[in-house]
Amino acid sequence: MTDNNPSAHRDADRVVIFDTTLRDGEQSPGASMTFEEKLEVADILDELGVDIIEAGFPIASQGDFESVSEIAKRVKNATIAGLARAAAKDIDRCAEALRHARNARIHTFISTSPVHMKYKLQMEPEKVLEMIASSVSRARNHVADVEWSAEDGTRTEHDFLCRCVETAINAGATTINIPDTVGYATPQEYEALFRMVRERVPNADKAVFSVHCHDDLGLAVSNSLAGVRGGARQIECTINGIGERAGNAALEEVVMAMRTRPDALPYRTNIDAKLLTRASKLVSAVTSFPVQYNKAIVGRNAFAHESGIHQDGMLKNAHTYEIMTPESVGVSKTSLVMGKHSGRHAFKEKLKELGYELGENALEDAFKRFKDLADRKKLVYDEDIVALVDDEIVTANDHIKVAALTVIAGTAGPQTAALTLDIDGEKKTHQATGNGPVDAIFNAIKALAPHEAALELFQVHAVTEGTDAQAEVSVRLSEDGKSVTGRGADPDTLVASARAYVAALNKLIVKRAKTKPEAMKAG
């Protein structure tokens, strides 16, 4: 571990990007990631140029500890942060997970608002101040880079918030985060809050201030940028804006807002914007959370123009309706360069062009699936290859896999599905009926892999145009309050449905094994 603090060495207009996709993002209901998926996401975040990657909550479970520890070992550039409550065991466990990191940060927090202190912590303000001092000091004994957060900071009394911030900085905090935990603030209020704290706290110049905004009122990005105008120089955000409830500020939106409007937002980041679309697609794949079509920056329709007037203007000059180019965020035009006669080398080069670096075994599996797809589909688009490879990455380490499926369907029911699953290397087959082919498939899966999970979501959309397009199916399962989402892709919608259900079931198996911390969560 080194004592390098990326947020301490900066010029006045430099904004540090703190990504919490792997921690706060994973708290989205149904968005849990496997160990291998977290490593994939950490790699793309590091390549993207994220300054700090919050890799997880080490004391939450053995799985969280192991993923933070492995990410700390392998990430080459970013600082790795772990979350810890204001408790000695949390902080020590966090430090242990981070001990192999080139640059490490302990992020500790405690609630400061009256409602949280009274009902959640059941503590008096003076006790909270004591815990801030002791927790930050303990964290500082482990690492030189310590972040302290005032959970529910925007609903905290100003006098007390200033005392808390001063105490945290005196104890050694190098970054101070004032989160809008419940997404309640407006931009004007949030900007004023940072100005007030920085003006009133005597030692404010010794720390970098940070924003962390939730999107309950749809203001997370606006509030984050307002906080920067108020003097904050770190933004905490997630890819695609995933996170608890309505989510967090979207990394791609805050970055491109500053890049596109330097006249109004004269700040800069170290993010390589051309990797934004790739990062978005990977996070969408591993969490099985589809990106809405009209999502800013990375949505499918972000650079689509259907109106005749818009199309006419675009043909004459792209600047009439586009304030940024698709290429600037890594969106390339759909291309048809691959087919059933394409070789392994050409496929590998295409993957590199799309942003993938696969190991030999993964490449071989992906190439085989590509060949199968090319035999079944006349035109293979880039989007098809992305869906195919993402599906391969997500399912590579699954306990249960779809081996074979035959479905008999039609107007005269009941419909029948004969399904073979590979369960930990052993193939098992079952035939089931149902009220429709999808119901029959899911009944067959339940017979082969018994469970009591309820189906909360079944969603289908096409990856590209045409009747032979690959289907991408999302399935959400819920069991004992645990919710997981799986996704599957295949030209056959029924096969994609089976894969999606099995993907969700695999995530549920992983989720069952996890033990959750007490009901205290960070802002």
Side-chain angles (χ1 to χ4, degrees), residues 324-375:
M324 66 194 96
T325 65
E327 293 79 14
S328 69
V329 296
V331 176
S332 59
K333 290 178 180 168
T334 298
S335 57
L336 305 169
V337 295
M338 303 296 292
K340 64 181 180 180
H341 299 298
S342 299
R344 187 177 282 96
H345 179 73
F347 181 67
K348 187 175 182 178
E349 289 303 307
K350 169 54 72 174
L351 291 182
K352 281 186 181 178
E353 182 187 318
L354 294 172
Y356 293 97
E357 290 279 354
L358 300 183
E360 281 307 311
N361 290 339
L363 177 64
E364 193 60 37
D365 290 342
F367 183 66
K368 182 180 181 300
R369 285 192 63 190
F370 161 71
K371 284 295 215 180
D372 292 342
L373 178 64
D375 281 336

Side-chain angles (χ1 to χ4, degrees), residues 443-519:
N443 288 339
I445 294 172
K446 282 185 179 180
L448 292 169
H451 62 277
E452 297 300 321
L455 179 65
E456 288 188 337
L457 172 74
F458 175 75
Q459 192 173 64
V460 183
H461 77 268
V463 173
T464 57
E465 69 270 14
T467 56
D468 64 348
Q470 280 198 98
E472 219 168 42
V473 177
S474 296
V475 165
R476 184 175 299 152
L477 298 178
S478 177
E479 179 186 74
D480 297 330
K482 302 181 183 74
S483 183
V484 294
T485 308
R487 193 160 72 171
D490 195 89
D492 187 318
T493 305
L494 297 176
V495 174
S497 300
R499 284 186 174 159
Y501 195 103
V502 166
L505 197 53
N506 277 295
K507 289 194 172 187
L508 198 59
I509 291 168
V510 173
K511 195 101 168 176
R512 285 173 185 163
K514 287 186 176 182
T515 55
K516 293 293 180 186
E518 300 102 288

Side-chain angles (χ1 to χ4, degrees), residues 278-320:
R278 175 71 208 107
S280 169
K281 286 180 177 178
L282 178 63
V283 170
S284 175
V286 300
T287 58
S288 298
F289 272 33
V291 176
Q292 69 190 61
Y293 285 6
N294 62 331
K295 165 80 172 64
I297 315 299
V298 292
R300 181 181 294 187
N301 293 348
F303 297 96
H305 303 271
E306 187 166 326
S307 157
I309 295 172
H310 284 213
Q311 289 175 348
D312 179 64
M314 284 293 296
L315 290 170
K316 291 172 180 172
N317 188 316
H319 291 294
T320 53

Side-chain angles (χ1 to χ4, degrees), residues 361-409:
N361 290 339
L363 177 64
E364 193 60 37
D365 290 342
F367 183 66
K368 182 180 181 300
R369 285 192 63 190
F370 161 71
K371 284 295 215 180
D372 292 342
L373 178 64
D375 281 336
R376 300 164 65 188
K377 196 173 186 293
K378 287 185 288 186
L379 302 174
V380 179
Y381 297 87
D382 284 356
E383 292 90 339
D384 289 314
I385 297 173
V386 168
L388 179 150
V389 178
D390 282 344
D391 196 48
E392 193 71 37
I393 289 170
V394 170
T395 61
N397 297 283
D398 284 351
H399 294 285
I400 307 171
K401 295 183 179 181
V402 176
L405 174 66
T406 302
V407 177
I408 300 173

Side-chain angles (χ1 to χ4, degrees), residues 107-113 132 148-156 161 164-165 176-181 523:
H107 178 194
T108 184
F109 71 95
I110 193 168
S111 296
T112 55
S113 68
I132 293 169
W148 175 77
S149 287
E151 185 174 16
D152 205 20
T154 53
R155 295 194 298 176
T156 298
L161 180 61
C164 290
V165 170
I176 297 294
N177 178 38
I178 305 176
D180 186 24
T181 304

